[in-house]
Amino acid sequence: MERIYRPETSFVSLDFFQAGWAFQSMWNPNKYMNVWMAKTSDYTSRGTMPYVPNDYPLAGLIATDYYKDNPPNYVEGILFLTPGGSYAGTSLTHETGHFLGLIHPYEDACGGTDYCNDTYQYDKKSGTNFDANGYTTDCNGTKFIEKNFMGWTLSTITEFVFSQNQVSRLEHSLKYAYHRPGSSTISARMLNNNSFEKIPPFMSYE
Ligand SMILES: [Zn+2]
């Protein structure tokens, strides 16, 4: 763990991932899952989606061979809103889901897809898609209790799940995606052979 001092007291979550100092503070993403904890002015945590090699594509992810021979050139990891509150545990799991290639089942409402056949696709309707008994209605009119880590859930839910298709995507990313610790891909081993080391924070204060 490393404490980084910044003059800002909060960040817009998207801007964070564009910041040079954030990039400079990143630990080798082939060895570590980077998690930055900070206040975000939009009260949003974010995780970056993985890139995959062209030989091992996964629907919804960008395939490229660039990172076979090049170190990461962007901020890779999770920005985690603090304090996390009662959702802290599931939020970190949720962002790690993104980090390993999962998409919201409500993304783009009924026009979208999370590329999983065993999750309910729905319009979360700005967080109001719940009936009096806590059921969500999916795009086919089916009612269900949303317990998915990647879904829009009620605060009363205490047990969360990933679906089998989601687990398959997580495993694919762990195995093949770039910059994912635990990856056994050839590309990851090639990068690990490079002497790419953590760069000290670009800007810091004592
Ligand atoms: Zn999300």
Side-chain angles (χ1 to χ4, degrees), residues 25-187:
S25 73
M26 185 167 65
W27 292 14
N28 183 346
N30 289 318
K31 295 182 178 177
Y32 303 96
M33 181 176 81
N34 282 268
V35 180
W36 290 269
M37 301 185 72
K39 287 179 183 167
T40 53
S41 57
D42 49 347
Y43 300 101
T44 302
S45 297
R46 283 184 188 277
T48 53
M49 299 288 280
Y51 290 97
V52 286
N54 284 315
D55 288 345
Y56 298 99
L58 187 64
L61 300 185
I62 296 171
T64 175
D65 288 335
Y66 178 81
Y67 295 109
K68 281 185 178 176
D69 303 313
N70 295 286
N73 55 358
Y74 61 98
V75 177
E76 176 80 281
I78 293 169
L79 174 63
F80 191 62
L81 168 66
T82 182
S86 58
Y87 278 111
T90 52
S91 291
L92 190 55
T93 306
H94 177 101
E95 300 310 333
T96 305
H98 288 313
F99 184 75
L100 294 175
L102 298 188
I103 298 164
H104 304 129
Y106 55 78
E107 192 71 35
D108 295 327
C110 294
T113 178
D114 62 352
Y115 303 97
C116 294
N117 293 327
D118 57 356
T119 55
Y120 296 96
Q121 185 78 26
Y122 54 96
D123 182 347
K124 72 180 169 72
K125 299 181 179 171
S126 303
T128 65
N129 189 347
F130 298 107
D131 70 12
N133 296 314
Y135 283 79
T136 299
T137 304
D138 81 354
C139 296
N140 297 318
T142 304
K143 286 183 176 287
F144 67 102
I145 300 274
E146 179 59 298
K147 296 182 176 180
N148 196 282
F149 277 113
M150 304 312 292
W152 192 265
T153 52
L154 284 172
S155 59
T156 49
I157 301 297
T158 54
E159 290 186 350
F160 294 79
V161 296
F162 285 123
S163 74
Q164 283 298 317
N165 282 187
Q166 286 177 320
V167 169
S168 296
R169 289 181 67 87
L170 296 171
E171 288 177 341
H172 183 102
S173 295
L174 276 172
K175 198 169 180 184
Y176 300 116
Y178 299 107
H179 320 138
R180 294 301 180 267
S183 169
S184 59
T185 59
I186 292 167
S187 56

